[in-house]
Amino acid sequence: MTRIHDEFDLVRRMRAEVPVRQDLSGVERRLAELRTGGGPARSSRRHRLPRLRWGLALAAACVLGVGGWQLTRDGAEEGVRPAVAHHPATTTAPATVLERAALAAASTMAAEPGPDQWFYRRQTQHMPGGDLPTYESWHKLDGTRTAIRTEGGKLKVTDAERGPTHPGKTLAELRRLPTDPDALLRHFRSLPRELTPLSICAPECPAGTEQDVKAFGAIGWYMSYGPLVPPDTAAGMYRALAKIPNVRIERNATDGDGRTGIGVVLDLGAAGKGSYILDPEDYHYLGLTVERDGVTAAMSVLSTGVVDEPGRLP
Protein backbone atom coordinates (compact mmCIF):
# COMPACT_ATOMS: atom_id res chain seq x y z
CA MET A 1 0.00 0.00 0.00
CA THR A 2 3.01 2.33 0.54
CA ARG A 3 3.80 2.37 -3.17
CA ILE A 4 0.18 3.08 -4.12
CA HIS A 5 0.09 5.88 -1.55
CA ASP A 6 3.27 7.39 -3.02
CA GLU A 7 1.81 7.18 -6.52
CA PHE A 8 -1.25 9.14 -5.42
CA ASP A 9 0.95 11.64 -3.60
CA LEU A 10 2.95 12.06 -6.80
CA VAL A 11 -0.18 12.59 -8.86
CA ARG A 12 -1.52 15.32 -6.60
CA ARG A 13 1.49 17.59 -7.17
CA MET A 14 0.41 19.69 -10.12
CA ARG A 15 -0.45 23.07 -11.40
CA ALA A 16 -1.25 25.45 -14.25
CA GLU A 17 -1.84 28.84 -15.91
CA VAL A 18 -2.81 30.44 -19.18
CA PRO A 19 -2.52 33.97 -20.57
CA VAL A 20 -5.46 36.30 -20.67
CA ARG A 21 -7.28 36.15 -24.06
CA GLN A 22 -4.28 35.21 -26.15
CA ASP A 23 -3.56 37.37 -29.21
CA LEU A 24 -3.20 34.79 -31.98
CA SER A 25 -2.30 37.12 -34.83
CA GLY A 26 1.28 35.85 -34.77
CA VAL A 27 -0.03 32.29 -34.83
CA GLU A 28 -2.05 32.99 -37.96
CA ARG A 29 1.02 34.49 -39.67
CA ARG A 30 3.10 31.43 -38.80
CA LEU A 31 0.43 29.04 -40.08
CA ALA A 32 0.17 31.00 -43.33
CA GLU A 33 3.92 30.65 -43.79
CA LEU A 34 3.71 26.90 -43.15
CA ARG A 35 0.98 26.49 -45.77
CA THR A 36 2.87 28.53 -48.39
CA GLY A 37 6.29 27.06 -47.67
CA GLY A 38 7.65 30.26 -46.17
CA GLY A 39 10.58 30.30 -43.82
CA PRO A 40 10.30 30.00 -40.05
CA ALA A 41 9.22 33.01 -38.07
CA ARG A 42 9.83 33.73 -34.43
CA SER A 43 6.76 34.68 -32.45
CA SER A 44 7.11 37.81 -30.39
CA ARG A 45 6.94 37.32 -26.64
CA ARG A 46 3.98 39.26 -25.26
CA HIS A 47 4.21 39.84 -21.54
CA ARG A 48 0.73 39.26 -20.22
CA LEU A 49 -0.63 38.62 -16.79
CA PRO A 50 -0.73 34.84 -16.30
CA ARG A 51 -4.13 33.16 -16.25
CA LEU A 52 -5.16 29.66 -15.26
CA ARG A 53 -3.70 26.96 -17.44
CA TRP A 54 -3.00 23.22 -17.32
CA GLY A 55 -3.53 20.70 -14.62
CA LEU A 56 -4.68 17.22 -13.76
CA ALA A 57 -4.66 15.25 -10.54
CA LEU A 58 -6.02 12.23 -8.77
CA ALA A 59 -7.27 12.24 -5.20
CA ALA A 60 -6.37 9.37 -2.90
CA ALA A 61 -10.06 8.51 -2.89
CA CYS A 62 -9.63 7.25 -6.44
CA VAL A 63 -8.39 3.99 -4.99
CA LEU A 64 -12.09 3.21 -4.55
CA GLY A 65 -14.19 2.41 -7.58
CA VAL A 66 -11.40 2.47 -10.15
CA GLY A 67 -11.84 -1.24 -10.83
CA GLY A 68 -9.50 -2.51 -13.52
CA TRP A 69 -7.97 0.88 -14.35
CA GLN A 70 -4.19 0.90 -14.10
CA LEU A 71 -2.37 3.95 -12.78
CA THR A 72 1.21 3.61 -13.99
CA ARG A 73 3.64 0.84 -14.80
CA ASP A 74 7.38 0.89 -14.17
CA GLY A 75 9.83 -0.35 -16.74
CA ALA A 76 7.98 0.12 -20.03
CA GLU A 77 9.60 -2.00 -22.73
CA GLU A 78 11.74 -0.61 -25.49
CA GLY A 79 10.48 -1.10 -29.00
CA VAL A 80 9.81 0.16 -32.50
CA ARG A 81 6.69 2.31 -32.88
CA PRO A 82 4.45 0.76 -35.51
CA ALA A 83 1.17 2.26 -36.63
CA VAL A 84 -1.58 0.52 -34.65
CA ALA A 85 -4.46 1.20 -36.97
CA HIS A 86 -5.44 3.50 -39.82
CA HIS A 87 -7.83 6.30 -38.92
CA PRO A 88 -9.62 8.53 -41.40
CA ALA A 89 -7.93 11.90 -41.82
CA THR A 90 -9.28 14.68 -39.63
CA THR A 91 -10.16 18.06 -41.06
CA THR A 92 -7.10 19.60 -39.38
CA ALA A 93 -3.71 17.90 -39.18
CA PRO A 94 -2.20 17.48 -35.70
CA ALA A 95 0.89 19.48 -36.72
CA THR A 96 -1.24 22.48 -37.68
CA VAL A 97 -3.28 22.56 -34.47
CA LEU A 98 -0.33 21.84 -32.21
CA GLU A 99 1.87 24.43 -33.95
CA ARG A 100 -0.87 26.96 -33.24
CA ALA A 101 -0.89 25.86 -29.60
CA ALA A 102 2.91 26.00 -29.45
CA LEU A 103 3.01 29.58 -30.70
CA ALA A 104 0.36 30.58 -28.18
CA ALA A 105 2.34 28.94 -25.38
CA ALA A 106 5.62 30.55 -26.48
CA SER A 107 4.09 34.03 -26.24
CA THR A 108 3.09 33.69 -22.58
CA MET A 109 4.98 35.23 -19.69
CA ALA A 110 7.07 32.89 -17.55
CA ALA A 111 6.02 32.76 -13.91
CA GLU A 112 8.62 32.88 -11.12
CA PRO A 113 6.88 31.56 -7.99
CA GLY A 114 8.83 31.47 -4.73
CA PRO A 115 9.28 28.54 -2.31
CA ASP A 116 6.95 30.15 0.22
CA GLN A 117 4.06 30.25 -2.24
CA TRP A 118 1.43 27.56 -2.77
CA PHE A 119 0.11 25.76 -5.81
CA TYR A 120 -3.70 25.74 -5.91
CA ARG A 121 -5.97 23.44 -7.89
CA ARG A 122 -9.72 22.79 -8.06
CA GLN A 123 -10.64 19.62 -9.91
CA THR A 124 -13.17 16.93 -10.61
CA GLN A 125 -12.69 13.21 -11.20
CA HIS A 126 -15.07 10.90 -12.98
CA MET A 127 -14.23 7.25 -12.48
CA PRO A 128 -15.93 4.04 -13.67
CA GLY A 129 -17.26 3.44 -10.15
CA GLY A 130 -18.80 6.92 -9.93
CA ASP A 131 -17.84 10.58 -9.68
CA LEU A 132 -15.63 11.66 -6.81
CA PRO A 133 -16.26 14.89 -4.87
CA THR A 134 -14.95 18.10 -6.35
CA TYR A 135 -12.04 19.25 -4.21
CA GLU A 136 -9.48 22.01 -3.84
CA SER A 137 -5.87 21.49 -2.85
CA TRP A 138 -2.92 23.68 -1.95
CA HIS A 139 0.72 22.52 -1.93
CA LYS A 140 3.53 24.68 -0.60
CA LEU A 141 6.26 24.90 -3.21
CA ASP A 142 9.01 24.04 -0.72
CA GLY A 143 7.30 20.67 -0.22
CA THR A 144 6.65 21.06 3.51
CA ARG A 145 2.91 21.70 3.81
CA THR A 146 -0.30 20.74 2.06
CA ALA A 147 -3.98 21.61 2.40
CA ILE A 148 -7.23 20.23 1.02
CA ARG A 149 -10.89 21.20 1.03
CA THR A 150 -13.63 19.00 -0.37
CA GLU A 151 -16.83 20.51 -1.72
CA GLY A 152 -18.79 21.89 1.21
CA GLY A 153 -16.04 20.92 3.68
CA LYS A 154 -13.54 22.75 5.84
CA LEU A 155 -9.95 23.56 4.92
CA LYS A 156 -7.48 21.08 6.43
CA VAL A 157 -3.80 22.06 6.54
CA THR A 158 -1.19 19.44 7.43
CA ASP A 159 2.46 18.63 7.01
CA ALA A 160 3.13 17.30 3.53
CA GLU A 161 3.40 13.53 3.26
CA ARG A 162 6.65 12.07 2.04
CA GLY A 163 6.61 11.40 -1.68
CA PRO A 164 8.89 11.19 -4.71
CA THR A 165 8.17 14.74 -5.86
CA HIS A 166 6.46 18.05 -5.13
CA PRO A 167 5.86 21.16 -7.28
CA GLY A 168 9.16 22.74 -6.24
CA LYS A 169 11.13 19.70 -7.43
CA THR A 170 9.03 19.60 -10.58
CA LEU A 171 9.91 23.23 -11.30
CA ALA A 172 13.60 22.35 -11.15
CA GLU A 173 13.00 19.40 -13.49
CA LEU A 174 11.12 21.59 -15.96
CA ARG A 175 13.92 24.13 -16.08
CA ARG A 176 16.33 21.36 -17.05
CA LEU A 177 14.20 19.96 -19.88
CA PRO A 178 15.23 20.65 -23.47
CA THR A 179 13.02 22.83 -25.65
CA ASP A 180 13.64 20.97 -28.91
CA PRO A 181 10.70 18.60 -29.61
CA ASP A 182 12.91 15.72 -30.80
CA ALA A 183 15.11 16.00 -27.71
CA LEU A 184 12.01 16.10 -25.52
CA LEU A 185 10.68 12.93 -27.10
CA ARG A 186 13.99 11.14 -26.58
CA HIS A 187 14.00 12.20 -22.95
CA PHE A 188 10.41 11.20 -22.25
CA ARG A 189 10.73 7.87 -24.04
CA SER A 190 13.75 7.05 -21.87
CA LEU A 191 11.99 7.67 -18.55
CA PRO A 192 12.03 4.65 -16.21
CA ARG A 193 8.25 4.71 -15.76
CA GLU A 194 5.06 6.18 -17.11
CA LEU A 195 4.10 9.61 -15.73
CA THR A 196 0.32 9.85 -15.90
CA PRO A 197 -2.54 9.39 -13.44
CA LEU A 198 -4.52 7.30 -15.96
CA SER A 199 -2.64 5.00 -18.29
CA ILE A 200 -4.15 4.40 -21.71
CA CYS A 201 -3.26 0.74 -21.96
CA ALA A 202 -0.65 -0.42 -19.41
CA PRO A 203 0.18 -3.19 -18.76
CA GLU A 204 -1.16 -4.48 -22.10
CA CYS A 205 -0.12 -1.85 -24.66
CA PRO A 206 0.36 -3.04 -28.26
CA ALA A 207 3.91 -4.23 -28.82
CA GLY A 208 6.16 -1.38 -29.87
CA THR A 209 3.90 1.44 -28.63
CA GLU A 210 5.08 1.49 -25.01
CA GLN A 211 7.50 4.37 -25.48
CA ASP A 212 4.91 6.47 -27.32
CA VAL A 213 2.43 5.93 -24.50
CA LYS A 214 5.12 6.92 -22.02
CA ALA A 215 5.99 10.10 -23.95
CA PHE A 216 2.34 11.09 -24.40
CA GLY A 217 1.66 10.66 -20.69
CA ALA A 218 4.80 12.52 -19.60
CA ILE A 219 4.04 15.52 -21.81
CA GLY A 220 0.56 15.86 -20.34
CA TRP A 221 1.93 15.34 -16.84
CA TYR A 222 4.47 18.14 -17.09
CA MET A 223 2.29 20.54 -19.05
CA SER A 224 -0.29 20.26 -16.30
CA TYR A 225 2.05 22.34 -14.13
CA GLY A 226 1.11 25.43 -16.18
CA PRO A 227 2.96 28.51 -14.92
CA LEU A 228 5.92 26.37 -13.84
CA VAL A 229 6.54 25.31 -17.45
CA PRO A 230 8.91 27.71 -19.23
CA PRO A 231 7.11 29.08 -22.33
CA ASP A 232 9.66 27.73 -24.80
CA THR A 233 9.54 24.31 -23.14
CA ALA A 234 5.74 24.28 -23.33
CA ALA A 235 5.95 25.12 -27.03
CA GLY A 236 8.39 22.26 -27.54
CA MET A 237 6.02 19.86 -25.80
CA TYR A 238 3.15 20.76 -28.12
CA ARG A 239 5.40 20.18 -31.11
CA ALA A 240 6.58 16.89 -29.63
CA LEU A 241 2.98 15.69 -29.33
CA ALA A 242 2.56 16.22 -33.07
CA LYS A 243 5.48 13.84 -33.72
CA ILE A 244 4.04 10.89 -31.80
CA PRO A 245 2.58 8.19 -34.09
CA ASN A 246 -1.18 7.56 -33.84
CA VAL A 247 -1.86 11.06 -32.44
CA ARG A 248 -4.80 12.75 -34.14
CA ILE A 249 -7.04 15.77 -33.57
CA GLU A 250 -10.69 15.33 -32.61
CA ARG A 251 -12.95 18.33 -33.01
CA ASN A 252 -15.77 18.96 -30.51
CA ALA A 253 -14.27 16.62 -27.93
CA THR A 254 -15.63 16.91 -24.39
CA ASP A 255 -13.95 16.62 -21.03
CA GLY A 256 -15.43 14.90 -17.99
CA ASP A 257 -17.46 18.00 -17.12
CA GLY A 258 -19.00 18.39 -20.56
CA ARG A 259 -16.82 21.27 -21.72
CA THR A 260 -16.23 21.17 -25.47
CA GLY A 261 -12.76 21.62 -26.88
CA ILE A 262 -10.06 20.22 -29.12
CA GLY A 263 -9.05 16.64 -28.42
CA VAL A 264 -5.40 15.65 -28.81
CA VAL A 265 -5.89 11.92 -29.02
CA LEU A 266 -3.45 9.01 -28.81
CA ASP A 267 -5.58 6.24 -30.28
CA LEU A 268 -4.33 2.67 -29.92
CA GLY A 269 -7.46 1.06 -31.28
CA ALA A 270 -8.85 -1.77 -29.15
CA ALA A 271 -6.07 -1.29 -26.59
CA GLY A 272 -7.38 2.11 -25.49
CA LYS A 273 -7.53 5.81 -26.25
CA GLY A 274 -6.31 8.81 -24.28
CA SER A 275 -7.33 12.41 -24.99
CA TYR A 276 -6.10 15.75 -23.73
CA ILE A 277 -8.89 18.31 -24.12
CA LEU A 278 -7.73 21.82 -25.01
CA ASP A 279 -9.72 25.04 -24.93
CA PRO A 280 -10.67 25.89 -28.55
CA GLU A 281 -9.75 29.57 -28.15
CA ASP A 282 -6.46 29.72 -26.26
CA TYR A 283 -5.48 26.01 -26.11
CA HIS A 284 -5.25 25.78 -22.34
CA TYR A 285 -5.75 22.34 -20.84
CA LEU A 286 -9.27 21.40 -19.74
CA GLY A 287 -8.91 17.76 -18.83
CA LEU A 288 -7.92 14.19 -19.61
CA THR A 289 -10.14 11.30 -20.68
CA VAL A 290 -9.15 7.67 -21.10
CA GLU A 291 -11.39 5.13 -22.85
CA ARG A 292 -10.82 1.40 -22.66
CA ASP A 293 -13.07 -1.62 -23.03
CA GLY A 294 -16.09 0.63 -23.48
CA VAL A 295 -15.46 2.42 -20.17
CA THR A 296 -14.36 6.03 -19.73
CA ALA A 297 -12.46 7.69 -16.89
CA ALA A 298 -11.93 11.44 -16.85
CA MET A 299 -10.25 14.14 -14.83
CA SER A 300 -10.93 17.87 -15.26
CA VAL A 301 -9.21 20.96 -13.92
CA LEU A 302 -11.59 23.78 -13.07
CA SER A 303 -9.05 26.23 -11.67
CA THR A 304 -5.33 26.41 -10.86
CA GLY A 305 -2.85 29.04 -9.81
CA VAL A 306 -0.11 30.13 -7.43
CA VAL A 307 -1.18 31.85 -4.19
CA ASP A 308 0.48 33.10 -1.03
CA GLU A 309 -1.31 30.94 1.54
CA PRO A 310 -3.70 27.98 1.81
CA GLY A 311 -7.35 28.86 1.49
CA ARG A 312 -6.64 31.76 -0.83
CA LEU A 313 -7.85 31.61 -4.45
CA PRO A 314 -5.89 32.83 -7.49
Side-chain angles (χ1 to χ4, degrees):
M1 292 298 295
T2 300
R3 181 183 172 191
I4 294 175
H5 190 274
D6 286 346
E7 290 283 352
F8 285 138
D9 185 71
L10 172 65
V11 172
R12 290 184 313 205
R13 320 287 190 191
M14 342 213 46
R15 67 155 229 37
E17 65 82 32
V18 127
V20 178
R21 296 296 298 180
Q22 189 72 40
D23 179 0
L24 297 178
S25 59
V27 176
E28 298 295 346
R29 289 193 297 272
R30 171 61 172 154
L31 290 173
E33 290 169 355
L34 291 174
R35 296 189 189 102
T36 59
R42 279 191 73 86
S43 61
S44 60
R45 183 71 53 84
R46 294 179 177 83
H47 294 282
R48 300 175 180 276
L49 293 176
R51 188 164 68 80
L52 309 179
R53 187 184 132 199
W54 295 104
L56 59 94
L58 183 64
C62 284
V63 82
L64 301 175
V66 173
W69 288 89
Q70 298 285 334
L71 286 176
T72 58
R73 173 172 174 251
D74 291 343
E77 300 176 7
E78 301 283 337
V80 181
R81 299 176 299 280
V84 172
H86 173 74
H87 297 284
T90 55
T91 55
T92 307
T96 300
V97 172
L98 292 168
E99 179 64 17
R100 188 188 297 258
L103 293 170
S107 68
T108 64
M109 181 179 66
E112 295 293 340
D116 290 334
Q117 292 183 292
W118 298 66
F119 154 62
Y120 166 80
R121 177 179 60 246
R122 181 170 180 258
Q123 63 188 39
T124 61
Q125 297 132 58
H126 309 277
M127 299 297 144
D131 294 349
L132 299 174
T134 301
Y135 77 98
E136 298 169 289
S137 61
W138 292 259
H139 299 279
K140 196 172 183 182
L141 291 172
D142 66 1
T144 61
R145 302 282 282 171
T146 188
I148 190 168
R149 180 169 61 199
T150 57
E151 194 168 18
K154 294 182 178 180
L155 179 69
K156 297 180 180 180
V157 184
T158 62
D159 290 337
E161 300 172 353
R162 288 178 175 264
T165 189
H166 62 77
K169 289 182 179 178
T170 301
L171 175 58
E173 293 173 8
L174 284 163
R175 288 173 173 169
R176 292 193 298 266
L177 286 176
T179 59
D180 176 75
D182 292 314
L184 281 168
L185 282 179
R186 286 193 296 271
H187 173 76
F188 292 141
R189 284 171 172 152
S190 69
L191 291 174
R193 63 173 177 174
E194 207 179 338
L195 291 180
T196 179
L198 295 174
S199 178
I200 297 172
C201 53
E204 298 178 350
C205 296
T209 67
E210 297 91 344
Q211 287 185 321
D212 293 330
V213 172
K214 196 192 304 182
F216 185 83
I219 290 171
W221 170 267
Y222 278 114
M223 293 189 77
S224 70
Y225 283 85
L228 296 189
V229 184
D232 290 343
T233 305
M237 288 180 180
Y238 279 116
R239 292 174 176 130
L241 280 174
K243 293 175 173 284
I244 297 176
N246 302 303
V247 165
R248 60 183 174 85
I249 297 300
E250 181 177 309
R251 294 291 180 177
N252 298 317
T254 56
D255 70 357
D257 286 76
R259 295 177 295 180
T260 301
I262 300 168
V264 182
V265 184
L266 177 57
D267 195 340
L268 300 179
K273 180 176 76 171
S275 304
Y276 296 131
I277 314 301
L278 308 183
D279 185 275
E281 294 186 2
D282 59 16
Y283 306 98
H284 78 271
Y285 174 93
L286 298 178
L288 163 71
T289 65
V290 172
E291 301 174 37
R292 190 166 69 214
D293 298 327
V295 180
T296 300
M299 302 166 64
S300 302
V301 170
L302 305 180
S303 179
T304 69
V306 175
V307 297
D308 292 331
E309 60 185 24
R312 183 172 294 186
L313 303 181

